[in-house]
Amino acid sequence: MPKYSITKLLNIPTHKVIKLSVDDEKAEIHIWLEARKNRAFVCSGCGQIHKTGHHGKSTLVAEDLPISSHRVFLHVTRRRYFCPHDQKTHVEDIPWLLKWHRFTTRFSEQLYRLTSITTNKEAGWYMGLDDETVYRIDKEILERKYEQKLKPSPAAVNMSVDEVSYKKYHRYLTNVVDVDKKVVIWNAQGRKAEVLDQYYEGIGEEQCKRIESVALDGARTYIASSGRYAVNALIVYDKFHVSSKMNRAVDSVRKMELHKARKDGDLDLVEMINGRQRFILFRNSQNRTSRQTEHLDHLCRKNEQIYKAMLLKESFSGVYNCSGAQAAEEYLKDWVEQAKTSGLKAFEELSQSINDKLQLIVNWFKKKVSSAISEGINNKIKRLKRMAYGYKDIDYFRLKIHQHCGLLNPRRFPH
């Protein structure tokens, strides 16, 4: 094959092939390259063209994408020039070589695409690299793409805010999700009001005014921050999280009754409400099997407290069948009064919480947005964390979230 055909195949017209060797035993191809005489020297220090000050040459071995199952190594001769701007000697800047690494840019892009669908360890095995090298290349590319696509922070019209645990002992990340695009557009360490303030301050006052709705999990910190900045937005208490609180109240009653049953030696009741049977209490009536319904009916006849708890739970679910915001508000006020006088401590506390956030629940009827997309993304993030067996570098973990669940995902946003 003519040498000019090789440079055409490799798409490096700025260089010419000096030598080529193929080692079939090691499955490697080695290509020696040198800059063409008419190629101007671009300084890697200042980025400008220098015509004088030649200071010798050096050779760099960079790995390129494989050809015919052979790993390809480019031996690139790089010129060195004295830079008059910083009074130092620099090698020439070659755009198709990854700076500070011994790889071509297309090799690193291929690695980046692999790490977006699998773990760094598996991507490294496939490309013949160790974990540390994969980490350094992947992080550098993610940081560059983050600066291009996520600086300044994108603004959403309808957004969802939620936190996800990244480490033991209550270490959290706050994620902001664009509900319309279904992607993470911003995240930061912590879950205080000051953390979410950073996002609102980053998009600016005008963009904050354009936000129409903010769906969240009822955290006071997020409510306070959104109330200060998203002045025109409806803050919606997500129905999924309200249902979760309802289930926790039911479970609290179950645990209390289980403790009493064990103390009284009521083995029949213990068997009906032990840990294995608790999920029957959490299911919606339309999702229960006939056997589960029969079990629950028998349990409610046997235990008055659980019967009250289930009545309150089923009664609350009816709020989302109301025709509008006004009807829902009246329904909720009636439910709060029932819960207050129920004699169940868990529901008395829950009624106070719902009364405090009553308007946020009612807002769902004005703008039916949900943070369900945030919960789905949280599941992806947890899976990502499990696949990697955790992340020591929190900044890298934030970037990986954008790569798998955000605007840096090459499958959804290739350019």
Side-chain angles (χ1 to χ4, degrees):
M1 178 185 289
K3 291 179 180 177
Y4 70 85
S5 298
I6 298 173
T7 55
K8 191 172 182 180
L9 174 68
L10 296 174
N11 193 26
I12 44 175
T14 57
H15 287 66
K16 61 182 179 180
V17 176
I18 305 301
K19 179 183 173 184
L20 183 145
S21 71
V22 180
D23 189 335
D24 290 322
E25 187 176 338
K26 292 183 179 179
E28 293 179 354
I29 298 175
H30 292 262
I31 303 172
W32 281 260
L33 299 169
E34 190 176 84
R36 296 187 182 276
K37 289 182 180 179
N38 60 352
R39 172 176 163 76
F41 177 90
V42 180
C43 179
S44 60
C46 65
Q48 298 184 17
I49 295 175
H50 298 330
K51 294 183 179 179
T52 59
H54 184 265
H55 205 272
K57 297 179 180 179
S58 63
T59 302
L60 171 73
V61 181
E63 186 168 1
D64 200 0
L65 291 175
I67 298 175
S68 301
S69 301
H70 283 56
R71 294 178 71 179
V72 176
F73 295 92
L74 306 179
H75 299 251
V76 186
T77 300
R78 298 189 298 176
R79 297 168 293 179
R80 297 169 60 86
Y81 272 69
F82 178 78
C83 179
H85 297 283
D86 61 4
Q87 303 295 306
K88 294 180 180 179
T89 301
H90 295 282
V91 295
E92 63 182 315
D93 179 59
I94 302 176
W96 45 268
L97 281 180
L98 193 65
K99 197 174 183 180
W100 313 123
H101 297 289
R102 296 176 179 271
F103 305 96
T104 63
T105 52
R106 57 189 169 210
F107 181 93
S108 60
E109 283 291 334
Q110 182 74 353
L111 181 64
Y112 167 74
R113 288 167 63 85
L114 277 173
T115 58
S116 69
I117 59 174
T118 186
T119 64
N120 287 7
K121 191 176 186 68
E122 290 170 340
W125 169 81
Y126 183 79
M127 301 295 280
L129 305 173
D130 60 82
D131 296 354
E132 182 63 25
T133 303
V134 175
Y135 159 73
R136 286 189 287 108
I137 294 174
D138 192 39
K139 185 178 181 181
E140 183 177 307
I141 294 175
L142 283 168
E143 286 174 338
R144 186 173 70 248
K145 290 184 180 292
Y146 183 89
E147 291 293 324
Q148 294 169 354
K149 292 188 176 183
L150 295 167
K151 286 285 187 77
S153 301
V157 176
N158 299 296
M159 56 182 272
S160 169
V161 185
D162 204 357
E163 81 275 354
V164 63
S165 171
Y166 70 89
K167 197 176 180 181
K168 292 191 297 183
Y169 310 115
H170 303 288
R171 300 292 190 270
Y172 293 96
L173 284 175
T174 293
N175 290 314
V176 175
V177 175
D178 187 321
V179 173
D180 300 316
K181 292 181 180 178
K182 297 180 173 60
V183 290
V184 175
I185 56 174
W186 184 88
N187 57 19
Q189 188 176 356
R191 58 173 179 175
K192 294 182 179 179
E194 293 80 3
V195 175
L196 187 55
D197 288 349
Q198 294 171 24
Y199 170 73
Y200 289 124
E201 290 167 2
I203 64 175
E205 185 179 350
E206 288 302 314
Q207 292 293 348
C208 285
K209 289 179 180 178
R210 293 192 181 101
I211 299 173
E212 295 179 3
S213 66
V214 181
L216 35 73
D217 62 357
R220 294 182 183 275
T221 53
Y222 295 155
I223 294 172
S225 178
S226 299
R228 279 196 303 272
Y229 289 93
V231 291
N232 298 324
L234 273 178
I235 301 175
V236 181
Y237 193 173
D238 178 54
K239 59 188 291 188
F240 171 82
H241 288 92
V242 178
S243 299
S244 295
K245 278 198 169 186
M246 195 65 57
N247 285 334
R248 284 198 291 271
V250 171
D251 197 43
S252 179
V253 175
R254 179 195 67 83
K255 288 177 179 177
M256 191 173 294
E257 294 306 303
L258 179 61
H259 178 73
K260 288 179 183 178
R262 283 174 174 163
K263 190 175 180 180
D264 297 340
D266 190 343
L267 299 181
D268 185 32
L269 183 58
V270 169
E271 182 62 28
M272 293 180 73
I273 59 175
N274 62 25
R276 290 175 297 176
Q277 305 292 348
R278 70 184 186 278
F279 296 107
I280 297 175
L281 303 175
F282 304 155
R283 281 178 174 262
N284 293 328
S285 55
Q286 62 269 27
N287 295 331
R288 295 190 202 109
T289 64
S290 56
R291 186 175 178 181
Q292 289 172 341
T293 302
E294 185 181 342
H295 176 93
L296 186 58
D297 290 343
H298 181 49
L299 174 59
C300 288
R301 287 194 298 270
K302 188 173 180 63
N303 187 279
E304 184 182 358
Q305 300 296 83
I306 290 179
Y307 175 62
K308 284 183 184 178
M310 292 307 299
L311 277 180
L312 287 167
K313 177 179 180 290
E314 295 294 336
S315 174
F316 183 86
S317 63
V319 70
Y320 292 105
N321 297 324
C322 292
S323 56
Q326 186 175 352
E329 186 173 352
E330 293 173 0
Y331 190 102
L332 279 171
K333 286 178 179 178
D334 289 341
W335 186 91
V336 167
E337 289 303 317
Q338 292 175 34
K340 278 182 180 178
T341 57
S342 65
L344 302 174
K345 184 179 177 182
F347 277 89
E348 288 171 4
E349 293 173 353
L350 179 61
S351 68
Q352 184 60 49
S353 174
I354 287 177
N355 191 53
D356 292 343
K357 299 183 177 76
L358 188 141
Q359 191 56 53
L360 304 185
I361 299 173
V362 171
N363 283 345
W364 183 84
F365 294 87
K366 300 175 183 177
K367 185 82 174 180
K368 293 187 177 181
V369 294
S370 167
S371 64
I373 181 63
S374 290
E375 293 303 316
I377 286 173
N378 280 354
N379 287 333
K380 284 186 178 181
I381 293 171
K382 290 171 185 175
R383 176 177 172 270
L384 172 66
K385 186 174 67 174
R386 286 196 302 271
M387 285 171 62
Y389 295 98
Y391 286 85
K392 293 181 180 179
D393 186 343
I394 181 60
D395 292 325
Y396 182 51
F397 183 42
R398 288 176 52 225
L399 291 168
K400 293 298 285 184
I401 291 172
H402 287 291
Q403 184 188 34
H404 286 255
C405 310
L407 295 173
L408 303 188
N409 188 327
R411 297 176 70 179
R412 293 190 59 188
F413 306 97
H415 302 294

